[in-house]
Amino acid sequence: MDIRIPRGTQDILPQEAGIWQFIDQKIHDICARYNYREIRTPIFEQTELFQRSVGDTTDIVQKEMYTFKDRGDRSLTLRPEGTASVVRSYVENKMFGSAQQPEKLYYVGPMFRYERPQSGRMRQFVQFGVEAIGSSDPAIDAEVIALSMEFYREIGLKGLKLVLNSLGDKESRTAHRDALINHFEPYIEEFCSDCQQRLKKNPLRILDCKKDKDNPLMDTAPSILDYLNEESQNYFETVKDLLSKMDIDYVIDPGLVRGLDYYNNTAFEIMIEGEGFGAITTLMGGGRYNGLVEEMGGPESPGIGFALSIERLIMALKTQDALPELQEGIDIYLAAIGDASSQAASELLFDLRRAGVKADKDYMNKKLKAQFKAADRLNAKYTAVLGDNERLAGKITLKEMKSGEQMEISLKDFPEHMKSLLREDAR
Ligand code: HAM
């Protein structure tokens, strides 16, 4: 068989699954503390959803979407990101009508982008994202940013740099757009064909072009920060002020434009500094998207959110040698001698597991010595031996692996006994 895993995807094998579960738990914990509730949306959506929200001129929509026709001739797309789906669901389920606004939501799930795979850039990757929809209080911008920074801090990642920018409101953006057109138009022949198209449709996208990033006109392009009107300026000042009050350091980068079209006002990314991380240094990205809910047919409901990928987080933890040490293993391994005892062990296992004990036994007809080895490999805290003599006497011999201490326990009370032993061990 020569069937291989598709390019840009990965198997998460059991020995790595523990760290994913650990991170999942951290996500649920921090979101509960910040009062964000989980939302789960489909993995595919109507293609138009992403064209309208992420934007027709973005790389994601033009080059990276997994789009297909279903058997009913509908154009569907594997989601390249989560915000569009959350906003669609917010509108479709009339969440804007609920008394509690903003609606604070989070999600964890696979996203799909047809990108050139390299380390930290996958075709299927898992995003953790949050979206707060329904408020334009700058304090919610600060909250969302704080949540992401705290998440990384609690997991143990260091050397993070928060980069901030403001893309301004509609009026500021229009003024900036005109300035960008004036700046690039006389020299647009020097730019790639994508940028030539972007000039009139969405000149901000030129600043995000990977092909033309070294053109000197990029550095001299008009900065959005010089075109912010008073309201946008004040908004940005308040967000910065709140972050400073929370002791969250940041740097301002007027060149941060983000790769999706729905943003305005606050935009941010978290980068990682330090050696050994390669070309991919952006861990997380997000921003404000006032107007997106209206675009999807809902009432005015300003939103803000971020997303980060778990793959890049794990990569960063690995380069910093900061992967958490997880205690993996079972509570007890039941070793049995002979068929009758092996059968009795199966019954006992059932009772142990029902009592909440992590337990296993041999299913490969192994000799006793090999069963002990298996217990070691499984990192069992206890091993119990069940042979004909013990079974007929209604007893079992229990051994604590660390101390080597042995004890005989009545079979009848065994599950309860194990439960209380483990409870004591945990103290
Ligand atoms: P994004 O910047 O396209 O924003 O992606 C956010 C994060 O997803 C990136 O910073 C990176 O960690 C991760 N990511 C993106 N592409 C890949 C890839 N090919 N392989 C591995 N990781 C990747 C969004 O997706 C927006 N929806 C964020 C947002 C939420 N804005 C507002 N709310």
Side-chain angles (χ1 to χ4, degrees), residues 60 80-83 107 113 115 120-123 125 127 130-131 258 260 262-263 269 282-287 289 304-309 311-312:
I60 295 181
E81 60 104 49
T83 312
Y107 49 89
R113 296 184 193 177
E115 295 196 84
R121 180 164 290 142
M122 314 279 299
R123 290 188 172 165
F125 54 98
Q127 273 189 348
V130 317
E131 314 291 348
R258 308 277 301 121
L260 306 92
Y262 45 63
Y263 292 113
E269 286 184 355
T282 306
L283 289 185
M284 165 278 211
Y289 46 84
I304 180 160
F306 74 76
L308 60 90
S309 73
E311 285 81 358
R312 287 194 192 172

Side-chain angles (χ1 to χ4, degrees), residues 100-115:
Q100 182 56 40
Q101 297 292 327
E103 188 71 67
K104 303 206 294 182
L105 304 164
Y106 77 97
Y107 49 89
V108 187
M111 308 291 160
F112 305 85
R113 296 184 193 177
Y114 189 80
E115 295 196 84

Side-chain angles (χ1 to χ4, degrees), residues 378-394:
L378 290 172
N379 206 8
K381 283 189 205 124
Y382 292 87
T383 311
V385 184
L386 193 60
D388 290 343
N389 292 345
E390 285 96 344
R391 192 166 43 81
L392 295 173

